[in-house]
Amino acid sequence: MHSHHLQLEEPIRMASILEPSKPSFFPAMTKIVGTLGPKSRSVEIISSCLQAGMSVARFDFSWGNTEFHQETLENLKMAIRSTKKLCAVMLDTVGPELQVVNKTEHPISLEAETLVILTPDQEKEATSNLLPINFSGLSEAVKTGDTIFIGQYLFTGSETTSVWLEVNEVKGEDVVCLIKNSATLSGSLFTLHVSQIRIELPTLTDKDKEVISTWGVRNKIDFLSLSYTRHAEDIRHARDYLTKLGDLSQTQIFAKIENFEGLTHFDEILQEADGIILSRGNLGIDLPPEKVFLFQKAAVYKCNMAGKPAVITRVVDSMTDNLRPTRAEATDVANAVLDGSDAIILGAETLRGLYPVDTISIVGKICAESEKVFNQDLYFKKTVKFVGEPMSHLESIASSAVRAAIKVKASVIICFTSSGRTARLIAKYRPTMPVISVVIPRLKTNQLRWTFTGAFEARQTLIVRGLFPILADPRHPAESTSATNESILNISLDHGKAIGLIKSHDRVVICQKGW
């Protein structure tokens, strides 16, 4: 199955390029996070998204109320039951996001080389020369000559849907700007981003806390995507907050890096966070275009070496309105995989795009093709060298399992784990074959009631490249006998056969350490 893996250092044979892509049960090892919204919230569409390869559903609270998102989530649960596909839930906070408020929702035409006033007076109506914003401190934060971008889903570079402004003068609380390109803004909210300027607002806002403590707690969210993470302290503050909310003490926090401050403190943020989301929409504004790829490669490498998931955003923007990605976008997805990304986030493409299912399917196919030429040998050597000696007991077992699986050309690695840590360590070494992560429940008590852990841990591996979880029967807890483990192994092998991962006479590597 994996004997014909190419590496990019070899000349790629034209025959392999001209052969049609082979369909498989797992579209790709790289995971796809789909943002659910107006165009992707029916049970039917969500079911198709799951079948196409979505493994994490993202709920973006910078728009829509909790009732709207709750209805969508109930539909997701129905889709999970009908497709029998596991799916994790990610809550994306608003954070200190500046927004232009357009109450009438009439399109606003802005003319190049004319002036527009940004005002904190939200009672005023948005027009071609006046835009109300949700922040009163803008006039104190900016100076003449500063750059401001406004657009729905951020400045994409499309000159028809987003606008580039230059600060002309500050008048009291108002900021007068020169419009650099003609554009039409449509919708009720547009994001406003000031390049390389600190906005004095908390990273976890009161509105975010309210959503987390109600909607988040009710739905036991697996991941919190912390927008505009600027310091390691932001992560610590969010973790303290989650710890006070019972079940959410297990929720993983992903730092969303989207501005200059996040870049500056990246290393400390990576230490504190459970994973990193590179929000290239905003980063493309704070960084010159020629520097964005450098940050992506450096950041993904650091995540890989730390064994923490790296997630990339804004890959196929044009598929919001089109059935096929551009050539540049397809190449961009492939390069994200070759760089070592764990997952791809689809935002507007699935939220309000016309082709949510096709987008997930095409991105999955590009990822699968890229994984075939991923240079695992070079990556493995780099990771082992980075870890250094002496290796920890667990790290040694994980790396040895991957090396053995590659040498014997195993179809899969089966890993028994209760916390998910062993499985994530195996994934850190990027095996070329899928890892079936069998999560063994643990029995725990809070003095009042006994509960089994495991569901959180299983779902949280759904964002890690190459990991495919199964939750073992709670009647086989982690402290079980070898006879019980054997029965779980048989169930895992049967599952692998049923989904087409394992065939008769295939070799399988089993990792059974580190509970």
Side-chain angles (χ1 to χ4, degrees), residues 31-37 40 49 52-60 90 92 153 277 280 311-320 325 333 343-353 355-364 366-367:
K31 301 304 176 66
I32 296 173
V33 181
T35 307
L36 301 186
S40 54
C49 287
M54 177 180 83
S55 64
V56 180
R58 173 174 169 259
F59 292 81
D60 183 356
M90 175 182 280
D92 201 310
Y153 296 93
I277 296 171
R280 300 189 309 172
V311 187
I312 300 285
T313 69
R314 306 302 294 266
V315 289
V316 284
D317 285 337
S318 72
M319 285 196 77
T320 307
V333 173
I344 303 280
I345 283 185
L346 300 173
E349 303 98 320
T350 54
L351 175 97
R352 62 183 175 91
Y355 309 102
V357 180
D358 295 287
T359 305
I360 291 167
S361 176
I362 287 171
V363 168
I366 299 167
C367 290

Side-chain angles (χ1 to χ4, degrees), residues 14-33:
M14 287 306 292
S16 71
I17 295 167
L18 298 173
E19 281 171 11
S21 302
K22 293 180 179 64
S24 66
F25 174 78
F26 290 126
M29 309 265 272
T30 307
K31 301 304 176 66
I32 296 173
V33 181

Side-chain angles (χ1 to χ4, degrees), residues 95 156 169 225 339 371:
T156 59
E169 65 171 316
S225 162
D339 285 347
E371 287 154 12

Side-chain angles (χ1 to χ4, degrees), residues 97-222:
E97 182 170 278
L98 305 189
Q99 293 172 332
V100 173
V101 184
N102 177 21
K103 281 193 262 191
T104 63
E105 297 197 24
H106 295 311
I108 301 164
S109 295
L110 299 165
E111 198 66 42
E113 300 306 315
T114 62
L115 296 176
V116 65
I117 296 168
L118 304 179
T119 178
D121 186 352
Q122 292 182 51
E123 295 305 309
K124 292 188 173 165
E125 199 173 300
T127 65
S128 296
N129 49 24
L130 183 84
L131 298 175
I133 61 171
N134 66 344
F135 178 54
S136 59
L138 187 65
S139 58
E140 292 167 22
V142 299
K143 61 185 187 305
T144 303
D146 278 350
T147 301
I148 297 176
F149 292 101
I150 296 174
Q152 194 178 30
Y153 296 93
L154 284 181
F155 190 81
T156 59
S158 162
E159 295 199 357
T160 55
T161 59
S162 13
V163 69
W164 171 17
L165 309 175
E166 188 178 281
V167 176
N168 200 35
E169 65 171 316
V170 176
K171 278 187 177 174
E173 288 196 319
D174 292 351
V175 178
V176 183
C177 300
L178 177 68
I179 301 169
K180 304 287 277 186
N181 66 291
S182 297
T184 301
L185 303 177
S186 56
S188 59
L189 284 177
F190 324 113
T191 305
L192 180 149
H193 187 91
V194 190
S195 185
Q196 300 198 10
I197 293 292
R198 176 176 173 80
I199 299 302
E200 293 296 337
L201 285 171
T203 303
L204 197 63
T205 64
D206 289 343
K207 183 186 171 189
D208 292 329
K209 286 180 176 176
E210 187 188 336
V211 167
I212 294 165
S213 63
T214 53
W215 193 89
V217 169
R218 176 181 174 185
N219 298 300
K220 297 184 180 176
I221 53 165
D222 302 295

Side-chain angles (χ1 to χ4, degrees), residues 396-428:
S396 163
I397 288 165
S399 58
S400 300
V402 173
R403 173 154 279 177
I406 287 166
K407 284 195 168 168
V408 303
K409 295 185 169 59
S411 296
V412 294
I413 298 171
I414 294 178
C415 167
F416 292 88
T417 181
S418 63
S419 67
R421 190 168 159 231
T422 314
R424 280 195 293 273
L425 265 182
I426 290 174
K428 173 181 166 181

